[in-house]
Amino acid sequence: MEFKELDPILHSQLRLAVISLLIGLKEAEFTFIKEKTNATAGNLSVQINKLKEAEYIQVTKQFKDNYPQTLCRITPKGIDAFEKYVLALQSYMKPG
Amino acid sequence: MENRKQMTSEESLTIIQQMITQAKVDITDNGFGWLLWGSLIFLTCISTYVFIDIGSANIFLGWNIFGILTIILLLFDVFRHKKKPVRTYVGDLLKLVDIGFIICLFTVIFSINVAVSPNSGFGFFLMIFAFLMLVRGGALKSRALIVGAMVNWAGALAIFVNKEFRYDMLIMAAAVLAGYIIPGLLLMKQYRKSNNIG
């Protein structure tokens, strides 16, 4: 049986968590992702940057009511990568 | 959460499953809007009925006040500070439904003022109320709102059949009681219970 290679960008705990979180949402604030993933701000920031560099997510920084706000949303490339990652995982899980 | 790179396929699936569950943003409603809006329409309908009964010169006084209050409340809602950390596809869709509802509402008000007789016009109000109740009821999983929608559609038909305007007001008051006030109270009770308020 052939095993598909797992995307190294997604095969990391926090990055996978971020993408899995964003897959069902239209847009989420950095603070929301931090709360849900239980990650530190520094670590999350680094991983979000990596996902952004891979063009898996789109990051928008803006000011709202005088406070900085970072918004993240998954891109079509990110959705595609996530779907491929899940398919690859399935090939590992299938018996035989 | 750390950022370990060595994960088994089971661990990866667990993360995906956990995060998808975390991302579920339940649509909640504290019922206040339904209660406020419903009470205002209910009181306006009853006041109109009373004005007709006592032979008042301005039977639409209640509706004029209601119209002004509606505009104030809508403006308050638009400019109210709303900070949501997350946007969902369903949330955005419901926002469009609300905008559509308000446009329909003002179109019916306009039509009553220029072309449509109040006898029919108020039936159209109930029709669009019912539409909003059905959509919102489905999103909130509120059976009371869905039943309220059916009652409002039945009320709309009753208004179209009925020829005496003052009874239209009683039909509308009853429909609003079933479609707004009772579901509003139930939603408020449910919200307080799930948020441990009071």
Side-chain angles (χ1 to χ4, degrees):
Chain A
M1 180 176 176
E2 192 194 333
F3 289 107
K4 289 174 185 167
E5 201 185 329
L6 290 169
D7 183 344
I9 304 279
L10 291 184
H11 197 57
S12 125
Q13 222 176 3
L14 189 49
R15 288 198 293 270
L16 180 62
V18 172
I19 287 287
S20 307
L21 197 59
L22 291 177
I23 197 90
L25 300 171
K26 191 165 186 181
E27 197 172 61
E29 262 188 38
F30 180 86
T31 47
F32 176 85
I33 302 171
K34 184 176 164 279
E35 184 198 317
K36 297 292 179 187
T37 56
N38 232 350
T40 61
N43 192 11
L44 182 60
S45 196
V46 170
Q47 304 314 322
I48 280 183
N49 244 351
K50 284 186 182 168
L51 288 169
K52 187 187 157 192
E53 278 165 16
E55 296 175 348
Y56 286 1
I57 63 169
Q58 186 190 321
V59 180
T60 314
K61 290 188 181 190
Q62 59 184 40
F63 275 88
K64 195 178 178 187
D65 302 325
N66 292 325
Y67 287 99
Q69 188 188 40
T70 305
L71 297 168
C72 304
R73 68 161 72 190
I74 196 164
T75 61
K77 194 176 170 185
I79 295 170
D80 192 45
F82 181 75
E83 283 171 353
K84 281 182 181 148
Y85 182 82
V86 173
L87 281 176
L89 271 187
Q90 282 173 347
S91 72
Y92 280 86
M93 311 272 305
K94 273 179 194 161
Chain B
M1 187 177 280
E2 301 163 44
N3 199 37
R4 265 188 312 120
K5 284 189 181 168
Q6 294 304 315
M7 286 192 296
T8 63
S9 46
E10 284 83 5
E11 282 174 323
S12 295
L13 278 179
T14 307
I15 290 175
I16 294 170
Q17 201 178 7
Q18 278 174 350
M19 287 302 117
I20 288 175
T21 309
Q22 288 273 358
K24 270 188 200 161
V25 182
D26 283 332
I27 297 159
T28 54
D29 194 318
N30 62 14
F32 179 74
W34 297 99
L35 262 181
L36 177 70
W37 184 253
S39 305
L40 281 174
I41 301 173
F42 184 82
L43 289 173
T44 309
C45 290
I46 298 297
S47 75
T48 309
Y49 178 83
V50 172
F51 286 146
I52 296 170
D53 217 41
I54 61 172
S56 169
N58 188 2
I59 59 167
F60 289 110
L61 178 67
W63 288 105
N64 294 337
I65 297 169
F66 172 77
I68 294 165
L69 278 174
T70 303
I71 292 169
I72 293 169
L73 287 171
L74 285 176
L75 288 174
F76 175 73
D77 196 52
V78 168
F79 292 107
R80 193 168 49 143
H81 175 77
K82 278 190 247 178
K83 196 183 178 208
K84 286 185 180 169
V86 66
R87 266 175 74 190
T88 62
Y89 293 99
V90 176
D92 279 11
L93 196 65
L94 285 177
K95 207 179 280 174
L96 286 175
V97 171
D98 285 346
I99 293 169
F101 168 75
I102 291 164
I103 293 170
C104 287
L105 195 72
F106 280 98
T107 309
V108 174
I109 293 171
F110 178 76
S111 74
I112 291 174
N113 282 288
V114 296
V116 178
S117 78
N119 245 34
S120 309
F122 283 88
F124 292 127
F125 274 135
L126 289 190
M127 273 174 62
I128 56 170
F129 288 173
F131 183 75
L132 185 76
M133 284 167 202
L134 187 74
V135 175
R136 283 266 167 196
L140 293 163
K141 298 181 189 83
S142 163
R143 198 183 296 174
L145 272 175
I146 294 170
V147 171
M150 301 305 159
V151 173
N152 272 253
W153 270 311
L157 291 175
I159 285 180
F160 292 139
V161 171
N162 175 54
K163 299 292 169 218
E164 208 171 328
F165 181 65
R166 64 176 170 167
Y167 294 123
D168 285 350
M169 291 295 100
L170 290 185
I171 294 167
M172 193 157 172
V176 163
L177 181 70
Y180 278 93
I181 298 175
I182 295 171
L185 284 169
L186 291 173
L187 284 171
M188 189 174 267
K189 195 178 160 191
Q190 194 182 334
Y191 183 83
R192 292 172 82 92
K193 196 178 163 188
S194 57
N195 288 281
N196 295 319
I197 302 169

